[in-house]
Amino acid sequence: MISEPSTPDSTDPFAHPAPPGSRPRLAILGAGPVGLEAALAAREGGFPHRVYEKARQPAGHVRRWGHVRLFTPWRMNVSERMRRALAEAGIPFELDPEEAPTGHDYADALLDPLWHSPLLSGALHTGTEVVGVTRAGLLKDDAIGSPDRGAGPFRILLRDGRGRERAEYAEIVLDCTGVRSRPNPLGDGGIPAPGETALESRIHREIPDFEDDAGEWSGRTILLTGGGHSAQTAARALDRIARHDPDTRVLWALRAPLSLAEDPADDPLPHRAELARAAQALARGEGALEVLEGFVVDALEPAGGRVAIRLRRRDGAEMRTVEAERILALHGGVPDDRIHRQLQFHECYATSGPMKLAAALLGSAGGDCLTQVSHGVETLLNPEPDFFVLGEKSYGRNNTFLLQVGWSQVDEIFGHLADR
Ligand SMILES: Cc1cc2nc3c(=O)[nH]c(=O)nc-3n(C[C@H](O)[C@H](O)[C@H](O)COP(=O)(O)OP(=O)(O)OC[C@H]3O[C@@H](n4cnc5c(N)ncnc54)[C@H](O)[C@@H]3O)c2cc1C
């Protein structure tokens, strides 16, 4: 039997292309911190707006690592616009500006109260995944590089938690979906190792809550891969577990020596400096972890209740097979290009961020997030008119994004849209 597709609600202002001359509608993809900043700016600017969030609650990505403490203190994590909104909505907010919150603290004290305040009433649609964005009536290769592509609205395909789909329309799209929905595989060279996909359910790709779930990790043999801040955080926690329970064996496979952008002695963020010092010591073998520096993952296969992991030295000189009960692969994430695949979006071939911004980042000083500033609205424009990638997604594989950059990007975009 063929079921009838549901008819769009004729009273829903986002369910149809708008009549000519209407105020442009703004679709914000992702209800993370930058999506929130954009929603508050849309409200201030009087744009009809709607926010789509895949998770069942706002800040879905932040909640995934909610038990982890941010490096940046409150004063760097709250924008001026958010402060104004807190005051307007009468939300009490008196936190030590120098204290660094955990992700859960951040969402509980700031993000959730603003999302649920009357200021954004009705704008947030949780449990709503953006599957793809296109131009109504146009294909990717129609009107190449032409402003004519902006004559009609974007058509946004949405899917709810039960798999039901609908299309909505907007004239301006701000993609703030971050990079956490698409974690990088652990296989050598960034594609899955043979066997990795089949063993997906046995691989952990988020920093576990080692305090609440210590029993899951204690007394096991664990392979940890990755060398960034998330992997360093996990290495430090696993070292504590292994020192406490000598039956715990942790192998830390590092593709390359740990690269730390800052000398911890010069780092103005104490939590990050402390982590860097601890990770450096662990990588030197001064802890309970067995460090396999210069090894990549070649293949995985099931071995009873364990997984056999074949590791290869990057120069090919040595192979080793280890068997682990737990695999923790922390390699960061990449932008979800499925969202913008049908748009004329010019993407950097290396970082997968918007091309002009990626070029500006490459030319900017230093690799540390504290040195990051926004690079101006020009770097956020791309051939698809009125489609903007903001927030962590705009940095792609470059992992130096800082929330404060997101606030500036939103200011710049709304300055650019001021006469619309
Ligand atoms: C462990 C950890 C610690 C960090 N510490 C700091 C710090 O100290 N300071 C700092 O400035 N930054 C820190 N960051 C970086 C931080 O995550 C980002 O700065 C911030 O979360 C980026 O916000 P965002 O809104 O751009 O993206 P996200 O927070 O990633 O939000 C994106 C949102 O989009 C939603 N989404 C994704 N795909 C879809 C889809 N297809 N449809 C609908 N919704 C979707 C997600 O569920 C999510 O809610 C840290 C990151 C991690 C992982």
Side-chain angles (χ1 to χ4, degrees):
M1 196 173 97
I2 299 172
S3 64
E4 289 291 321
S6 58
T7 312
D9 176 354
S10 59
T11 61
D12 180 342
F14 281 71
H16 303 272
S22 315
R23 188 90 211 271
R25 296 162 295 183
L26 211 144
I28 298 166
L29 321 185
V34 178
L36 173 62
E37 181 74 359
L40 293 172
R43 174 186 169 269
E44 281 178 354
F47 289 96
H49 59 283
R50 205 163 259 194
V51 185
Y52 306 109
E53 165 61 43
K54 182 166 69 167
R56 285 162 64 179
Q57 54 182 344
H61 286 170
V62 172
R63 290 288 185 186
R64 285 201 211 163
W65 51 268
H67 49 283
V68 180
R69 197 164 290 285
L70 278 83
F71 294 129
T72 46
W74 274 113
R75 73 180 152 79
M76 296 175 70
N77 305 329
V78 190
S79 69
E80 280 310 310
R81 186 175 280 110
M82 288 174 181
R83 285 181 196 283
R84 285 201 298 277
L86 288 164
E88 186 182 344
I91 298 168
F93 189 77
E94 284 170 21
L95 291 156
D96 179 352
E98 295 308 322
E99 192 195 316
T102 64
H104 284 317
D105 295 340
Y106 187 44
D108 288 343
L110 180 75
L111 309 178
D112 280 8
L114 283 173
W115 279 121
H116 298 307
S117 74
L119 305 187
L120 296 176
S121 156
L124 176 62
H125 294 246
T126 53
T128 306
E129 180 185 3
V130 177
V131 181
V133 179
T134 191
R135 282 283 179 189
L138 292 182
L139 295 174
K140 189 177 176 84
D141 55 349
D142 283 337
I144 297 172
S146 162
D148 292 351
R149 285 184 67 85
F154 290 102
R155 182 168 175 273
I156 305 164
L157 177 63
L158 304 167
R159 185 179 294 147
D160 73 13
R162 291 202 268 164
R164 292 175 305 195
E165 294 180 343
R166 67 182 190 280
E168 294 197 0
Y169 296 84
E171 284 66 38
I172 301 165
V173 174
L174 307 184
D175 182 349
C176 310
T177 52
V179 297
R180 303 262 142 209
S181 293
R182 301 200 80 192
N184 283 311
L186 57 70
D188 181 25
I191 60 169
E196 180 175 344
T197 307
L199 287 163
E200 185 57 39
S201 63
R202 314 263 299 261
I203 301 170
H204 299 257
R205 299 195 190 269
E206 295 283 348
I207 306 177
D209 186 341
F210 289 108
E211 276 185 26
D212 274 11
D213 299 334
E216 276 294 301
W217 302 88
S218 188
R220 316 265 184 195
T221 300
I222 301 152
L223 175 74
L224 168 66
T225 60
H229 286 137
S230 294
Q232 293 172 27
T233 303
R236 187 171 55 173
L238 287 169
D239 177 60
R240 282 195 209 111
I241 291 176
R243 282 171 196 261
H244 189 253
D245 178 355
D247 288 337
T248 312
R249 184 178 175 215
V250 185
L251 300 124
W252 188 10
L254 283 165
R255 192 175 73 91
L258 275 191
S259 71
L260 301 164
E262 282 279 313
D263 179 343
D266 302 332
D267 192 335
L269 297 177
H271 292 294
R272 192 174 59 176
E274 201 186 303
L275 176 63
R277 274 191 217 98
Q280 282 171 337
L282 292 175
R284 285 194 299 268
E286 294 169 15
L289 275 50
E290 294 168 48
V291 180
L292 297 163
E293 192 178 287
F295 278 89
V296 293
V297 175
D298 208 45
L300 308 175
E301 62 178 52
R306 297 180 159 221
V307 176
I309 305 118
R310 196 169 70 223
L311 298 164
R312 178 172 43 79
R313 204 176 262 291
R314 270 172 91 189
D315 60 10
E318 189 186 343
M319 289 285 203
R320 266 191 212 193
T321 299
V322 297
E323 285 193 5
E325 289 155 294
R326 297 273 181 276
I327 300 175
L328 184 50
L330 299 174
H331 299 260
V334 284
D336 187 349
D337 60 354
R338 293 169 300 188
I339 293 176
H340 58 249
R341 191 174 289 159
Q342 289 305 321
L343 297 176
Q344 292 182 1
F345 178 70
H346 192 192
E347 173 180 315
C348 172
Y349 51 81
T351 68
S352 305
M355 190 63 200
K356 289 183 190 168
L357 177 59
L361 287 171
L362 196 66
S364 70
D368 185 72
C369 62
L370 281 183
T371 62
Q372 296 302 319
V373 289
S374 181
H375 288 81
V377 72
E378 271 304 311
T379 62
L380 299 172
L381 305 179
N382 68 82
E384 189 67 58
D386 293 331
F387 177 79
F388 305 100
V389 172
L390 306 181
E392 197 167 22
K393 182 171 182 177
S394 71
Y395 269 46
R397 287 164 189 267
N398 179 327
N399 62 5
T400 60
F401 177 77
L402 196 65
L403 285 161
Q404 288 183 325
V405 173
W407 315 152
S408 307
Q409 290 179 338
V410 170
D411 286 345
E412 286 163 0
I413 288 298
F414 280 86
H416 174 75
L417 297 173
D419 57 355
R420 298 288 294 277

